[in-house]
Amino acid sequence: MNNTHAFDPQQQAWFEAACKHIDTERLRRLNADLVNIHSPTGAEQEASEFMTAHMESIGLKARYQAVNDASGNAIGELCGDGTGPNLLLYAPIDTHLEGNEADLPMVGDRLRDDMKPEAILRDDLVIGLGASNPKAMVSSLTEAVNAVIDAGVELKGKVTLAFAGGGMPLYVPERNNYGLSSGVTHMLTHGVTADFGIIMKPWYEIYHEHPGMCWFKVSVKGSLGYAGIPRGTPGFRSSIIPATTVINEIEHWLAEFPTRHSSDQIAPEGWIASVRSGWPERPAFPAATTEIFIDVRTNPNQTMAGIRHEFDQLMAEILRRHPDIEADWDMYGSCPGSATAPDHWIVQSAHAAWEHQEGKPYPGAPMLSGQTDAAMINKLGIPLVRVGYPWIGDASVPEEFADGLGGMGVSNIQDLVKPIENIIYSIIDCCSRARQDVGLE
């Protein structure tokens, strides 16, 4: 461990006392309470108001930050004596599914229990929509701060505990186009700030690089047809059949993309996520346009303009090789990647916490591609490290929830204890020191 982050006897005593105050039943209750408050992207108000009241109840100076009439953020502050740094602890609070029949059949042929906003408690498991991501993260950060308060840790700095809506990599047109880090962007441009921060996400790893993403739409052109028209009839061109050629060409490009664009910790993946064409209720009339939607992840060194140029070149080459295909395309969503220097205080603090816990040097993280609010927080000027907890899929997950991503809705309370202890370590490592001790003027 870097000796700069080693604890003196007082800090070690505070750490041990705070760890003893971790209350797994309190954590379990909060996790379940949050699952029972439905918070799809763009409609997080009730969950954020709940967390505001909860943070106030445990002794934080808390406030609800309204963004619009359906969404807002929850911010709580644990203040020290004012001589230390401001540490941000952050997690999103919205879920990626609606949790009702509107999700069918895209999530499968039925809504499983891990896709519903209704908590089920099964021994150490909390099951329900978002139980793991994001609501175990919100609960874990809160429990870490609660344990620090209960242990009477004396802080010089401030801990800012913050939860925002719009954190899922999607947007909802019917809710003010909310998403794509809109909540955290509002938060950080409306008064909330910190010297550095920690974001909690799945996987028991440490990341100082944060992926970005670009969304592209390709429109393959044809003509409005009729199912009774013989093939080869002049004036009729399918848009759907040529789209299959374009899909295969793009898929080949995407498969090679991570190799071409990997950075220190990021191997940016990409997927064809959606294809849209025609009217299911009018199958007699094949549509004149077939739309293909693609999500491409990026490393912190790539610009959105650079990715756009590379995609333009790809599409131009596809059309050159297939002159019978007509298509146009556009980039309709983007969030640039970002990074914190690996030797920054907060990154090294996360390493020190992990190494203190595990008793060995951190071996390095596996390559990542999952986009989060970390990219935007870091881009807006707050050095940030990503830490996390064992993903339930890495352990013993009930068989009925093992297929696919599901509702990210199974959390194991015991799996959260070590990550909470690591968060406590960084709180003490950062906020029991003066600003100059952590590299701040």
Side-chain angles (χ1 to χ4, degrees):
M1 182 192 299
N2 184 331
N3 287 334
T4 304
H5 297 270
F7 281 170
D8 64 25
Q10 178 61 79
Q11 289 171 316
Q12 182 65 29
W14 281 332
F15 174 72
E16 292 173 3
C19 289
K20 288 178 182 177
H21 278 88
I22 296 172
D23 186 333
T24 54
E25 180 54 32
R26 181 170 64 191
L27 173 65
R28 183 170 174 263
R29 263 196 327 270
L30 181 57
N31 197 172
D33 286 345
L34 280 168
V35 171
N36 285 325
I37 302 173
H38 193 24
S39 57
T41 300
E44 304 91 348
Q45 178 178 352
E46 185 180 356
S48 291
E49 288 181 335
F50 170 83
M51 281 309 303
T52 301
H54 182 82
M55 288 189 287
E56 188 170 34
S57 75
I58 66 173
L60 274 64
K61 179 183 177 182
R63 68 185 187 279
Y64 173 73
Q65 182 188 57
V67 178
N68 55 50
D69 59 1
S71 183
N73 307 321
I75 301 110
E77 296 176 340
L78 177 62
C79 298
D81 65 16
T83 62
N86 183 347
L87 171 67
L88 174 70
L89 300 179
Y90 176 79
I93 203 167
D94 56 312
T95 61
H96 65 305
L97 300 179
E98 293 296 311
N100 56 36
E101 299 299 313
D103 293 327
L104 299 175
M106 303 308 170
V107 301
D109 58 5
R110 64 184 179 87
L111 283 176
R112 304 184 320 207
D113 286 339
D114 64 325
M115 301 174 181
K116 301 174 184 176
E118 302 160 7
I120 297 172
L121 303 179
R122 188 186 300 177
D123 299 323
D124 285 331
L125 301 183
V126 179
I127 300 165
L129 177 58
S132 177
N133 185 355
K135 297 186 176 181
M137 291 139 33
V138 173
S139 306
S140 295
L141 293 176
T142 305
E143 181 59 31
V145 174
N146 208 337
V148 166
I149 293 170
D150 289 348
V153 177
E154 297 176 14
L155 300 181
K156 296 179 183 294
K158 177 193 294 184
V159 179
T160 299
L161 190 57
F163 312 113
M168 292 295 162
L170 53 90
Y171 77 103
V172 187
E174 62 271 25
R175 299 190 194 119
N176 303 296
N177 288 307
Y178 216 64
L180 286 175
S181 295
S182 50
V184 77
T185 300
H186 182 94
M187 176 184 290
L188 297 182
T189 56
H190 288 76
V192 177
T193 189
D195 293 302
F196 39 68
I198 295 171
I199 184 172
M200 192 172 191
K201 293 295 291 184
W203 293 297
Y204 189 56
E205 304 291 350
I206 302 167
Y207 290 97
H208 61 271
E209 291 192 333
H210 313 299
M213 66 183 177
C214 296
W215 293 346
F216 293 98
K217 180 178 78 169
V218 177
S219 300
V220 180
K221 305 296 185 177
S223 53
L224 178 61
Y226 176 61
I229 296 175
R231 283 169 174 76
T233 299
F236 170 65
R237 296 178 300 124
S238 170
S239 68
I240 296 174
I241 303 306
T244 63
T245 298
V246 176
I247 286 170
N248 285 325
E249 293 272 13
I250 294 174
E251 173 61 20
H252 179 74
W253 177 79
L254 289 171
E256 296 179 342
F257 192 85
T259 301
R260 294 194 307 273
H261 294 298
S262 290
S263 59
D264 183 21
Q265 293 186 309
I266 308 303
E269 298 287 348
W271 284 91
I272 296 170
S274 177
V275 179
R276 182 170 65 189
S277 185
W279 304 276
E281 67 279 10
R282 299 178 189 173
F285 301 98
T289 303
T290 296
E291 298 171 317
I292 306 163
F293 299 86
I294 305 106
D295 181 320
V296 182
R297 301 303 165 91
T298 71
N299 74 51
N301 304 314
Q302 293 172 287
T303 66
M304 302 299 96
I307 295 297
R308 172 62 194 262
H309 174 72
E310 186 172 343
F311 194 82
D312 287 347
Q313 296 298 108
L314 165 70
M315 288 304 304
E317 177 61 18
I318 291 173
L319 298 186
R320 186 191 67 78
R321 288 199 304 269
H322 303 280
D324 56 323
I325 295 177
E326 181 186 352
D328 57 35
W329 58 92
D330 198 7
M331 186 168 77
Y332 70 101
S334 64
C335 181
S338 61
T340 298
D343 61 352
H344 190 281
W345 174 275
I346 192 59
V347 178
Q348 290 303 307
S349 180
H351 279 260
W354 193 97
E355 291 170 1
H356 183 274
Q357 182 81 259
E358 301 299 327
K360 60 182 180 181
Y362 181 64
M367 300 297 274
L368 178 74
S369 191
Q371 196 275 341
T372 74
D373 277 334
M376 187 59 68
I377 294 171
N378 207 163
K379 207 72 175 177
L380 290 174
I382 298 179
L384 197 74
V385 65
R386 169 178 169 163
V387 303
Y389 55 99
W391 183 240
I392 189 70
D394 297 339
S396 177
V397 60
E399 185 177 352
E400 67 264 39
F401 308 124
D403 181 50
L405 185 65
M408 299 193 287
V410 183
S411 67
N412 187 323
I413 295 303
Q414 294 305 318
D415 283 348
L416 300 174
V417 174
K418 282 206 302 186
I420 290 171
E421 291 175 347
N422 289 351
I423 296 292
I424 290 171
Y425 190 101
S426 284
I427 291 173
I428 295 170
D429 185 35
C430 297
C431 294
S432 70
R433 305 180 193 269
R435 290 177 62 82
Q436 60 267 29
D437 295 334
V438 302
L440 300 171
E441 293 183 1

